[in-house]
Amino acid sequence: MRVDKRKVVIVGTGMVGMSYAYSLLNQSVCDELVLIDVNKTRAIGEAMDLNHGLAFANASMTIYAGEYSDCADADIVVICAGVAQKPGETRLDLLKRNAQVFRSIIDPVTSSGFNGIFLVATNPVDIMTRITCVLSGFNPRRVLGSGTALDTARLRYLLGEYLKVDPRNVHAYVMGEHGDSEFAPWSQALLATKPILELCGENDAVCRERLDQIEEEVRTAAYKIIEAKNATYYGIGMALTRITKAILGDEHSVLTVSAMLRGDFGQRDVFVGAPCIINQNGIQKVLPLSLTDEEMEKMNKSCDTLRESFEGIF
């Protein structure tokens, strides 16, 4: 008989938090799901709504609106709370407002006795993840952000369309800031085991031009979605679910999350999107990649951007 229950706490029941909760329910990822929001009435309503669909789910799940004290025995606390990004606004524009929100969240979570893993979704996610690490005092391995996981999924989707193959057979990453300085290291992009740059062949100029367009589409995708429907939430909800499954299942999966670099890619003390091996303890290690000189310059630029923004807050 199973005694140990997989418990996830979501702080923030906005569209991102609830898209994540809905995805968790549909994929039966955890046994206990707690919703926390400054608007307790909303959290209660969201819990009711999800519970009414349990009869159609593949497994049972206990779902309820809770308090920060409920974080004490949680495996993962996922922070989705914060101010939403407005049309035309960059993720870094959100920084000062969301930094203040996090000060009111992290302390009561850690005061509960929580000793699990923090997963951050709030933008600008790389900096908010670092703020979470600083405020909590947790080992950086147990604090990670959604990083460029969604950007990587967008990249693989668009490459799959371009190459006319299943995106699950495309192995490529988006690295750096989850924002305007992110980049796709094409030297590491593969279709199965074939380097994508080798597929270009005689049409190298045309191929590189299309790859550059795809990279730009990935970088600006959120702006287009926000302009069209005011917010993005389904994709990130599913990305958070994938990360959660890797943690709870002790999968040792490689995902591009926001992690602290400690000498990786020549950088230190900065949280940034990079391929990491994820298991039940959080980040086992950052996966070393052989980036080109041009790609290393882009990584350095992205890290510098994040470091400067963080230092403006702390």
Side-chain angles (χ1 to χ4, degrees):
M1 183 177 71
R2 184 185 179 93
V3 176
D4 183 35
K5 289 189 175 182
R6 301 164 298 172
K7 182 175 181 179
V8 175
V9 175
I10 301 176
V11 180
T13 59
M15 292 304 297
V16 170
M18 294 319 300
S19 293
Y20 169 50
Y22 185 63
S23 182
L24 288 175
L25 174 57
N26 276 284
Q27 297 185 45
S28 302
V29 175
C30 61
D31 303 296
E32 188 173 352
L33 179 61
V34 185
L35 307 180
I36 298 176
D37 197 282
V38 65
N39 183 345
K40 182 66 177 288
T41 301
R42 173 166 183 165
I44 292 172
E46 295 287 6
M48 289 176 62
D49 204 1
L50 289 174
N51 277 315
H52 295 164
L54 276 173
F56 306 111
N58 294 324
S60 61
M61 184 185 294
T62 301
I63 307 171
Y64 58 95
E67 307 289 346
Y68 284 113
S69 58
D70 293 303
C71 297
D73 60 345
D75 295 293
I76 309 174
V77 168
V78 185
I79 305 179
C80 301
V83 181
Q85 188 175 353
K86 300 176 182 178
E89 186 177 38
T90 69
R91 296 179 180 94
L92 291 178
D93 290 334
L94 302 176
L95 181 54
K96 291 185 178 179
R97 288 183 290 165
N98 280 335
Q100 192 61 37
V101 172
F102 269 45
R103 292 179 188 277
S104 67
I105 293 174
I106 305 302
D107 183 59
V109 171
T110 55
S111 295
S112 73
F114 173 64
N115 194 37
I117 293 171
F118 275 110
L119 175 56
V120 182
T122 306
N123 278 321
V125 68
D126 304 290
I127 301 173
M128 300 313 299
T129 305
R130 185 173 179 182
I131 287 174
T132 299
C133 187
V134 170
L135 294 178
S136 66
F138 274 33
N139 185 314
R141 296 188 185 278
R142 293 197 290 124
V143 182
L144 58 152
S146 53
T148 50
L150 177 55
D151 308 275
T152 293
R154 289 166 174 160
L155 177 66
R156 292 177 179 178
Y157 164 73
L158 291 171
L159 283 173
E161 276 198 331
Y162 175 49
L163 300 172
K164 295 181 172 55
V165 297
D166 187 332
R168 289 172 294 185
N169 296 126
V170 175
H171 306 289
Y173 303 102
V174 173
M175 296 176 63
E177 170 202 5
H178 174 56
D180 297 337
S181 65
E182 67 184 29
F183 68 99
W186 294 115
S187 67
Q188 307 298 306
L190 304 171
L191 170 57
T193 59
K194 181 76 170 180
I196 286 177
L197 291 180
E198 288 186 14
L199 294 175
C200 297
E202 297 178 0
N203 297 318
D204 182 67
V206 176
C207 180
R208 282 310 301 259
E209 181 180 349
R210 181 60 188 129
L211 292 183
D212 290 341
Q213 290 173 352
I214 288 174
E215 185 175 10
E216 181 64 17
E217 286 181 45
V218 170
R219 187 181 297 112
T220 60
Y223 295 124
K224 294 178 181 177
I225 295 171
I226 290 170
E227 183 178 352
K229 53 176 276 187
N230 297 323
T232 69
Y233 35 87
Y234 296 133
I236 188 60
M238 295 182 73
L240 290 168
T241 299
R242 180 67 191 92
I243 296 169
T244 301
K245 290 174 69 175
I247 295 171
L248 295 178
D250 195 26
E251 291 183 1
H252 293 78
S253 294
V254 176
L255 298 168
T256 48
V257 297
S258 184
M260 177 180 277
L261 301 186
R262 292 185 278 192
D264 313 278
F265 306 107
Q267 296 287 336
R268 286 189 175 277
D269 299 327
V270 61
F271 277 80
V272 68
C276 298
I277 298 176
I278 307 298
N279 61 16
Q280 64 183 354
N281 297 315
I283 297 172
Q284 179 184 349
K285 67 177 294 186
V286 176
L287 194 67
L289 299 178
S290 300
L291 302 181
T292 65
D293 291 343
E294 181 182 358
E295 291 163 353
M296 280 298 297
E297 286 182 15
K298 292 179 178 179
M299 187 64 165
N300 292 336
K301 178 183 177 182
S302 203
C303 290
D304 289 344
T305 297
L306 292 168
R307 190 178 288 107
E308 290 170 6
S309 296
F310 176 82
E311 290 173 352
I313 296 297
F314 277 79

